[in-house]
């Protein structure tokens, strides 16, 4: 069975929160959504076009400042219904990640491999940077219980990401110490 295009639902969900321009959506993928879902610029605009052609979203032009015209996208009733139907569906199978560290580690045959120590050190650095980024995002987005309540799902995702990075670092540091 072919995997369904989840990007369409991600876009519908983002537009369910508020009207957005393509640029706004691009920034969301670079920032908060990008912490757990990725989509390239070249994927977003064609998908917006398909959603608009199918009547699930509409667009309008808004003026920013005195002259700048921007195209905003808005969720239509049929798009809202489609999003709700998707949210009610059971989850599909977990897709494998495409993590370079994991693949390189898989290919190393011996504990004595001279690249092993460097591989762990590099990945620890990457995860420490990511953990610092996630903790900063938490401080900026959810400084109060009220802020967490306002966007509960996002707060939970960010908490889980912080815990995941913390566990990953603990495991990697333990492995490095044992090499």
């Amino acid at each position: 069975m072919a995997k369904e295009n989840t990007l369409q639902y991600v876009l519908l969900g983002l537009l369910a929160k508020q009207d957005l321009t393509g640029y706004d959506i691009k920034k969301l993928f670079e920032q908060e959504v990008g912490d757990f879902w990725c989509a390239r610029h070249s994927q977003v605009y064609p998908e917006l076009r398909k959603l608009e052609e199918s009547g699930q979203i509409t667009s309008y032009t808004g003026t920013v400042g005195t002259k700048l015209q921007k195209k905003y996208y808005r969720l239509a009733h049929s798009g809202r219904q489609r999003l709700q139907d998707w949210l009610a569906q059971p989850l599909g199978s977990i897709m494998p990640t495409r993590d370079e560290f994991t693949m390189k580690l898989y290919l190393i045959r011996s504990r004595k491999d001279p690249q092993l120590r460097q591989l762990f050190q590099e990945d620890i650095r990457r995860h420490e940077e990511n953990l610092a980024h996630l903790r900063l995002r938490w401080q900026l987005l959810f400084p109060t219980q009220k802020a967490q309540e306002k966007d509960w799902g996002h707060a939970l995702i960010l908490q889980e990401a912080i815990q995941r990075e913390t566990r990953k670092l603990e495991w990697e540091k333990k492995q490095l110490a044992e090499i």
Side-chain angles (χ1 to χ4, degrees):
M1 177 184 230
K3 174 135 174 54
E4 189 170 19
N5 176 7
T6 307
L7 178 58
Q8 63 185 319
Y9 299 111
V10 173
L11 295 172
L12 293 172
L14 294 175
L15 292 171
K17 290 185 173 197
Q18 67 185 57
D19 296 358
L20 298 165
T21 66
Y23 179 78
D24 295 333
I25 292 169
K26 176 182 168 285
K27 293 312 262 180
L28 284 169
F29 276 108
E30 290 173 359
Q31 296 169 356
E32 59 194 60
V33 175
D35 289 337
F36 57 91
W37 193 270
C38 66
R40 292 183 307 277
H41 178 76
S42 62
Q43 295 173 293
V44 171
Y45 283 97
E47 198 62 44
L48 287 170
R49 188 171 40 258
K50 288 179 198 171
L51 290 169
E52 188 170 19
E53 288 170 358
S54 69
Q56 294 176 69
I57 65 173
T58 60
S59 65
Y60 62 93
T61 303
T63 305
V64 179
T66 57
K67 293 183 181 181
L68 182 61
Q69 297 280 313
K70 288 189 171 189
K71 183 175 184 176
Y72 286 86
Y73 296 94
R74 173 180 289 152
L75 189 62
H77 177 73
S78 63
R80 187 172 306 281
Q81 185 57 54
R82 186 131 188 256
L83 175 63
Q84 290 306 315
D85 292 347
W86 178 71
L87 289 170
Q89 289 178 9
L91 295 172
S93 59
I94 295 174
M95 299 301 293
T97 62
R98 297 176 70 177
D99 178 54
E100 190 176 9
F101 167 80
T102 303
M103 191 70 240
K104 287 182 176 186
L105 187 57
Y106 173 80
L107 294 172
I108 289 179
R109 309 267 315 185
S110 167
R111 172 184 283 228
K112 294 181 171 63
D113 189 305
Q115 294 177 328
L116 191 57
R117 178 171 286 284
Q118 180 181 348
L119 182 63
F120 270 103
Q121 289 170 337
E122 287 177 16
D123 205 47
I124 287 169
R125 180 191 48 77
R126 289 188 325 158
H127 285 282
E128 285 175 339
E129 288 173 2
N130 195 37
L131 180 58
H133 164 77
L134 293 170
R135 286 179 172 157
L136 178 61
R137 299 282 303 148
W138 180 265
Q139 290 171 352
L140 294 171
L141 296 173
F142 304 112
T144 65
Q145 185 68 32
K146 185 176 180 181
Q148 293 171 37
E149 295 287 337
K150 185 177 176 208
D151 204 354
W152 187 250
H154 187 182
L156 289 177
I157 291 297
L158 197 49
Q159 280 180 344
E160 190 275 333
I162 290 169
Q163 290 175 7
R164 181 189 64 236
E165 290 297 313
T166 301
R167 286 189 307 270
K168 176 81 171 184
L169 280 166
E170 289 170 358
W171 178 82
E172 286 191 347
K173 288 177 180 179
K174 180 178 183 269
Q175 299 309 312
L176 182 61
E178 292 177 5
I179 295 175

